[in-house]
Amino acid sequence: MRHCRQLIQLVFMASLILMGCQAEVQAPAELKTPAESQPEAGVQWLEPDKIVFASTPYFGAGLLTDEFQPFVDYLSKKLGRPTGLRIVESYEEMIQLIESKQVHLGVLSPLSYVRAKKNQPGLRLLASQDANGATTYSAYIITRTDAGIPDLQSLKSKRFAFVDKLSTSGYLYPMAELRGLGIEPEKFFSKVVYAGDHEKLIEWVLEGKVDAGATSSSAFNIMKGKAGQGQSLAIIGKSGRIPYDAVVANAHLHPEIVAKAKEAILNLNTQDA
């Protein structure tokens, strides 16, 4: 419980940064000028012929491609060099690809941002996403409307799914809520599994592969409109407010490229992407 609380405190501190860095408003102080970021002695800046952009895999490959490909095409034009979208398999892989310099620009969930920043202190925050004017979202625990599960205590001996241990809304916040109620998942549920992304988790709930699961309010709302699926889902737990994801630049990416990327994001018009 203490570890979970400490992580939430770290995410909260990160949220103070993220919510102050909305793309339409301002850039982080750490990116005021390229001159402020200098490489360590003997370290060369990355100036790749092709920029690689990736995101934590909160949806499946299809939805992620639909969401980010227009933005990646927009970046290609603004940066004046090819930019490609890389689909990663897990939250952990996303952090590893940043650390190994294989991903240059990307989107990280709040908890993944905290972990990635710890591994790569020079990771540069460009902006925070928002949705429909909102800067934060919630974590939901959901079940099917016909499952006969009216509340969290009714989940005893049921099958439960999280998204990933590096997911803020799909693990960290719901885990804290459950433990705050005296529920230890590995003992309370008959089975605990990890879906890997929010889209798959919601599908598992709908298909009856699990009885309930933890997801984000934004993922729930997107899936709710998919073929009327929302009518089959019930929310039995809420927690958060969680800042939307961070748009970041690799610590080793050349400051001139970072500055162009920052300018492109700050000037982004959704009609362009």
Side-chain angles (χ1 to χ4, degrees):
M1 182 64 179
R2 178 180 296 178
H3 177 65
C4 200
R5 187 181 299 115
Q6 288 173 337
L7 283 176
I8 288 178
Q9 289 172 343
L10 287 172
V11 170
F12 174 75
M13 288 187 287
S15 75
L16 298 180
I17 300 172
L18 295 178
M19 289 188 289
C21 301
Q22 295 304 312
E24 306 86 68
V25 182
Q26 63 182 35
E30 65 188 73
L31 279 175
K32 286 183 178 178
T33 66
E36 291 179 357
S37 298
Q38 296 296 333
E40 297 176 4
V43 177
Q44 294 184 338
W45 291 115
L46 290 174
E47 297 185 68
D49 293 331
K50 182 178 181 179
I51 299 294
V52 177
F53 178 94
S55 169
T56 46
Y58 48 84
F59 288 142
L63 285 180
L64 282 180
T65 300
D66 290 344
E67 180 173 352
F68 285 113
Q69 190 59 57
F71 177 65
V72 169
D73 294 340
Y74 167 81
L75 282 179
S76 292
K77 296 177 183 178
K78 295 299 182 180
L79 297 179
R81 66 181 68 204
T83 303
L85 174 63
R86 177 164 180 171
I87 301 298
V88 302
E89 296 297 322
S90 69
Y91 286 62
E92 183 65 36
E93 183 189 15
M94 178 65 182
I95 294 174
Q96 292 172 353
L97 289 173
I98 291 175
E99 190 173 358
S100 64
K101 308 174 190 176
Q102 296 180 64
V103 165
H104 310 122
L105 298 171
V107 171
L108 291 170
S109 67
L111 179 54
S112 293
Y113 172 75
V114 169
R115 292 286 181 84
K117 185 74 172 176
K118 180 180 179 181
N119 294 346
Q120 192 183 91
L123 184 71
R124 285 165 281 181
L125 175 63
L126 304 185
S128 176
Q129 292 181 309
D130 65 11
N132 301 318
T135 60
T136 61
Y137 65 101
S138 294
Y140 287 172
I141 293 179
I142 63 170
T143 186
R144 296 182 311 283
T145 54
D146 62 357
I149 302 173
D151 52 40
L152 296 179
Q153 294 294 343
S154 300
L155 287 172
K156 186 172 178 59
S157 300
K158 302 295 186 181
R159 299 161 301 167
F160 192 88
F162 291 107
V163 172
D164 187 287
K165 287 187 176 180
L166 283 172
S167 172
T168 314
S169 59
Y171 179 78
L172 178 63
Y173 274 66
M175 178 65 84
E177 179 183 7
L178 291 169
R179 286 179 171 170
L181 294 172
I183 296 174
E184 189 60 44
E186 296 293 342
K187 298 178 180 178
F188 186 80
F189 302 122
S190 63
K191 185 178 183 180
V192 175
V193 293
Y194 294 85
D197 65 66
H198 292 272
E199 181 182 2
K200 186 180 293 183
L201 183 143
I202 294 173
E203 289 175 350
W204 281 4
V205 173
L206 287 167
E207 293 168 2
K209 292 182 178 179
V210 294
D211 299 298
T215 188
S216 69
S217 56
S218 53
F220 177 84
N221 290 331
I222 289 172
M223 295 297 287
K224 183 172 66 174
K226 193 175 178 181
Q229 292 177 338
Q231 297 177 0
S232 302
L233 295 170
I235 301 167
I236 56 173
K238 292 183 181 181
S239 59
R241 300 296 296 177
I242 306 166
Y244 274 106
D245 296 350
V247 185
V248 301
N250 195 292
H252 301 276
L253 190 62
H254 196 286
E256 290 184 3
I257 300 175
V258 175
K260 286 183 178 180
K262 178 189 70 174
E263 182 179 9
I265 293 168
L266 295 178
N267 294 329
L268 178 64
N269 183 322
T270 53
Q271 294 179 349
D272 295 333

